[in-house]
Structures are given as structure tokens and as C-alpha cells.
Amino acid sequence: MNALWDRWRKQITPPSQPARSTAGLSPYLADQVRDVLAAVARSCASISVGGAASDPTQSYLTGHPYLPQGCDWPEGEHGPQFFVGQINFAEVGVLEGFPSAGLLQWFVDTDETYGLTFDETAGAAGFSVRWYSDLSAAPAAAPDAPTPTDHVEEVPMEFVGPTRIGFGRGASIPSWDELPAEVRQDTVWERVAMAFGESRSEPAYVYDEYIRGGSSGLTEFGGGSRVGGYPSFTQEDPRGSGAYPAVGTAAATLIIELDSMDVGGWGIRASGICSETRPRSSRVTPVVSATTGTACDSCPTRASRRASG
């Protein structure tokens, strides 16, 4: 099973690695950048993938979720929903603002946008979220058991069976637009621009490319799949539109972001899940959020939904 997985899985990107030489960022200048960003950096848990899941209470992507006997599979507008993955927070480790135990699962519709809507229901429909604080109930099936969506041809992640995910310590920094004004106005960005031969009049580009992006030499602030931290978007930031919560509110806190090399990515914010999954030609760091999911511990119900018109 592991050999088959290694051969055929779609790669979830590891933390960003420098794409260009970072020789222009001297140790002294790098320390200055770290000092400026220290006040806004957030702890996060980096996500890596590898091998097949065998225990239904583990953290993994796709496959058959932990589902206690007697619990129904989530249903959406198009029938049974696709299981994206689950996170067992006992495996994540200590992370400020997050639980130390419990299992979070999410599912999305099987239509061509995987539940993403573009009207006033955006961020409030097309998905289900479940939370288990007690995992003592016997599971109905193993992670590699058949699922109601096995017949679906176009799926958001084409792994061969349930794929284990692991966690490591990391830090996350916000996008340029989310930085406080005093940080954006710091002269350190002019010095970074000069170090790389870039224009001092484009600090946003310099920051996104050489500090937060793929060319960053500050590996502690690497992007990639993670639990917690700041979200990243390939298109527009949807927060504050539709049913998405506004930037800076507790409900907009990122819980999970999964980055993909070829078909977008997924993420969950504090009140649920939203998705941005459009084909792309290069590495991306997109979004997926949602709205409030309601669940009971013994047999969770489907996340609250609004009709998508």
C-alpha cells in the first residue's frame, strides 16, 4: 500500500524552499527582518504527508473517515459529500489557541467546484464539518474501506487510499496587506529591495517574493500546508464578502491550510470551511474556509448550511 501511494499520489507541497539565490540577504539584515516581524509572527504546525493511514482516529487525507457505528455519512446538494480529511489534535502537539485533543473532519460537495459558491451563500454552503471530542466509540470502517463517493471521477485530491499526515513546529507571517501600517512603513524593506536589486518603490512585491514567498531564505517563515498561522490566497481574499467573516475577527482565524502543486488548495477557518480549487499551472497557496459547523460528539450532524440558490 505504501509503495503504491508513493508512486501515484498527488504531491502536497512541503514548506517553501528558496527558488533563487538569497545571498543578498546578509545575516545582519535577516536578523533585522526577523526583529520587525517578531510582533506579528504566529506559531503554526507544518503539515507533511507520507504513507498510508491504518487507524481511523489518525490524521489523514481522503479514504474513509472515523465514523462511529450508527452515524450517517454527510449529505450535500449532490448526494454524499467527498471526505477531504481529518486532524487529530492529539497528534498536532501544543499550539496556542488550539485544542490538545479531539478530531476535526471536513467534507465537500462533489460538484465541479467542490461546493464553492459565488453568491451570498459563499462560505456558508457546500461543505460539512464534524468535531469529535471523544474517540472511544468503535469505528464503522477502516480508513481504506469503500466510501459512497468512490464512483466520483473528478475529486479534489487523487491520493491512492487514506494518506497519513504529520506535524512539525513552524511560524507564519501575514500577507503584505495584513501587516500593520508601522511594519509596512519600516525602512527595512527598502534595504531588502536593494540587497536583491529590486525597486525600493515596490515593497509589497519584495516582501511577498523574498520574505514570505518561494524565494525566501528565512525558512522559519516558510509557507506550505499547516495548522494555524495566516492564510494565503492565489486569487482574491474572500474574507468580508458573501458569508465569509471579516479579516481580524475570531471567526476568520485559519485552522488548516493544504497547499497543492497543481489544483489549488484547501483551508479551514475557525467557523468552518470555504474552498478555492481552480486549476493552476504553478505552485499555489490557496484558501478553503467555511462557516459554522454544528455537531454533537457521539454522532455529529451535518454542518449548518444555507441553500445555494
Side-chain angles (χ1 to χ4, degrees), residues 7 12 38 50 68 89 105-106 129-130 133 140 164 179-181 193 198 227 264 287 293 305:
R7 181 179 179 186
I12 291 290
F89 279 89
Q105 301 174 334
W106 76 101
V129 180
R130 289 183 169 181
S133 60
R164 283 282 284 134
L179 287 173
E198 301 287 357
V227 175
V287 61
R305 305 166 55 87

Side-chain angles (χ1 to χ4, degrees), residues 48-100:
S48 59
V49 294
S54 57
D55 185 331
T57 65
Q58 290 177 320
S59 301
Y60 56 90
L61 304 175
T62 73
H64 195 293
Y66 171 76
L67 192 67
Q69 306 252 357
C71 287
D72 295 330
W73 190 281
E75 293 277 335
E77 298 296 332
H78 304 275
Q81 293 182 318
F82 179 80
F83 172 59
V84 177
Q86 63 184 36
I87 300 292
N88 187 330
F89 279 89
E91 298 175 346
V92 174
V94 178
L95 190 60
E96 184 178 357
F98 287 81
S100 58

Side-chain angles (χ1 to χ4, degrees), residues 117-282:
T117 58
F118 302 93
D119 55 16
E120 68 278 359
T121 68
F127 65 91
S128 296
V129 180
R130 289 183 169 181
W131 171 257
Y132 297 90
S133 60
D134 183 0
L135 302 177
S136 61
D144 60 354
T147 75
T149 60
D150 285 346
H151 67 284
V152 178
E153 294 183 0
E154 296 294 330
V155 295
M157 291 182 292
E158 297 178 0
F159 294 106
V160 177
T163 303
R164 283 282 284 134
I165 54 179
F167 308 94
R169 296 298 91 197
S172 175
I173 54 178
S175 66
W176 178 261
D177 291 337
E178 284 193 76
L179 287 173
E182 61 271 19
V183 175
R184 294 198 304 268
Q185 294 165 5
D186 197 288
T187 58
V188 71
W189 311 123
E190 293 186 8
R191 297 193 292 277
V192 171
M194 293 175 63
F196 287 100
E198 301 287 357
S199 171
R200 292 183 295 173
S201 64
E202 297 182 355
Y205 168 76
V206 170
Y207 175 82
D208 287 336
E209 179 67 20
Y210 295 101
I211 303 302
R212 195 173 190 252
S215 296
S216 176
L218 303 178
T219 56
E220 68 268 37
F221 296 139
S225 303
R226 59 189 175 275
V227 175
Y230 294 92
S232 302
F233 304 92
T234 52
Q235 278 91 34
E236 296 179 0
D237 183 345
R239 291 174 295 175
S241 64
Y244 294 105
V247 177
T249 61
T253 301
L254 178 71
I255 296 179
I256 302 165
E257 180 171 302
L258 300 177
D259 292 352
S260 168
M261 293 183 71
D262 44 14
V263 290
W266 297 89
I268 304 182
R269 57 177 166 72
S271 59
I273 308 177
C274 112
S275 67
E276 181 186 277
T277 53
R278 306 170 194 170
R280 297 172 179 84
S281 59
S282 61

